[in-house]
Amino acid sequence: MTRFALTVEFDGRPFMGWQRQDHGPSVQQAIEDAAHAVTGEDVIVHAAGRTDAGVHGLGMRAHCDIAKPITPFRLMEALNARMRPNPVAILACDEVSGDWHARFSCLSRHYEYRIVTRRAPLTWEKGLAWRLSGPLDAPAMQAAAAYLVGRHDFTTFRSAHCQADSPMRTLDRLDVAQEGERISVFASARSFLHHQVRSMVGCLSLVGQGKWAPEDVRDALAARDRTTLGLNAPPDGLFFLRAEYPSD
């Protein structure tokens, strides 16, 4: 049995999320079905993190165990061929030790949330960014983001359906970058709560629009109450960028 580490890119628009679902297609199912077609085995693919419906991946890490003798390159090529026309691609495939785990060995996860500020609707980027019709005050958003960095109880910013044992998380990075009409919010942590990134971005957008002051984000965090959340951003603009491991 060989364990393979995969780097996966996917467009989340056609999927119900990463995890296999009974009520619709998933990224996990697309890869597992392709792996079964290639190997004849019931392969389970484990990911660094789960993504919601409509969320995208540029460098999701995952692993699977396969008994059939096959090289990483041949496996990558075969999976990509079998997954067409699903918008999923294996960018890299490597043999790893049997104790390497895409989820539990992960030291840090990195996300980017993309916002486009313009009045015209999105065309080819529809579903790949969140369009807001007015300008945003990026420096004010950055000032608000600073209140969220560090170890906190993020109850306000977790989904009511979050299954994590604790709302405590350490946010290592939350930065706002602007280039013309485009704003990106970068978030890094060892792990995130369900909807945490989208909830943080939603509140930052209120600050950017002048509807909240930066201190309102601080107060929402301190409240530790989901009902004080200002806005949960849509999944469209959220991208899983990469995951980091000790071997990196």
Side-chain angles (χ1 to χ4, degrees):
M1 188 73 72
T2 302
R3 178 159 294 185
F4 292 93
L6 310 174
T7 302
V8 187
E9 178 183 273
F10 58 90
D11 178 345
R13 286 175 290 185
F15 299 110
M16 301 302 296
W18 170 273
Q19 190 174 16
R20 182 181 282 270
Q21 306 284 338
D22 293 331
H23 58 283
S26 67
V27 180
Q28 181 184 18
Q29 179 184 357
I31 302 173
E32 289 178 348
D33 288 352
H36 179 77
V38 171
T39 67
E41 303 169 28
D42 293 329
V43 177
I44 299 177
V45 179
H46 303 270
R50 299 173 181 176
T51 56
D52 294 330
V55 176
H56 317 290
L58 296 181
M60 174 65 76
R61 298 299 299 278
H63 81 263
C64 60
D65 296 328
I66 294 176
K68 178 181 178 178
I70 188 170
T71 66
F73 179 77
R74 290 300 298 268
L75 177 60
M76 179 178 67
E77 292 287 281
L79 291 177
N80 285 334
R82 289 286 184 173
M83 285 192 293
R84 298 170 184 153
N86 287 309
V88 183
I90 309 301
L91 303 182
C93 178
D94 302 285
E95 288 188 23
V96 291
S97 63
D99 61 354
W100 189 92
H101 197 286
R103 178 184 176 191
F104 298 120
S105 300
C106 186
L107 297 178
S108 186
R109 295 162 174 87
H110 305 273
Y111 285 88
E112 177 187 0
Y113 195 99
R114 300 176 181 178
I115 302 172
V116 177
T117 58
R118 73 182 200 188
R119 292 191 60 82
L122 299 179
T123 53
W124 64 271
E125 281 188 298
K126 184 177 181 181
L128 298 174
W130 182 22
R131 181 187 68 87
L132 292 173
S133 59
L136 297 179
D137 184 342
M141 294 171 67
Q142 183 64 63
Y147 289 117
L148 300 178
V149 175
R151 185 162 181 80
H152 304 289
D153 181 329
F154 281 97
T155 295
T156 299
F157 299 92
R158 74 187 294 195
S159 165
H161 303 291
C162 181
Q163 298 178 356
D165 293 334
S166 169
M168 298 298 297
R169 289 295 184 272
T170 300
L171 185 63
D172 297 316
R173 179 191 185 194
L174 191 63
D175 288 327
V176 180
Q178 183 174 24
E179 184 175 351
E181 65 182 12
R182 299 179 181 276
I183 288 181
S184 290
V185 180
F186 296 96
S188 299
R190 186 180 185 104
S191 64
F192 290 90
L193 299 167
H194 189 207
H195 282 185
Q196 183 181 345
V197 177
R198 290 170 54 192
S199 296
M200 294 188 301
V201 170
C203 290
L204 293 183
S205 75
L206 295 178
V207 174
Q209 296 172 80
K211 297 177 180 179
W212 274 24
E215 293 72 25
D216 291 326
V217 173
R218 176 199 60 193
D219 295 343
L221 174 68
R224 293 176 291 179
D225 182 352
R226 181 70 175 178
T227 63
T228 64
L229 181 74
L231 180 65
N232 195 42
D236 306 32
L238 186 56
F239 290 76
F240 186 103
L241 293 181
R242 67 187 187 279
E244 293 183 12
Y245 297 86
S247 58
D248 298 340

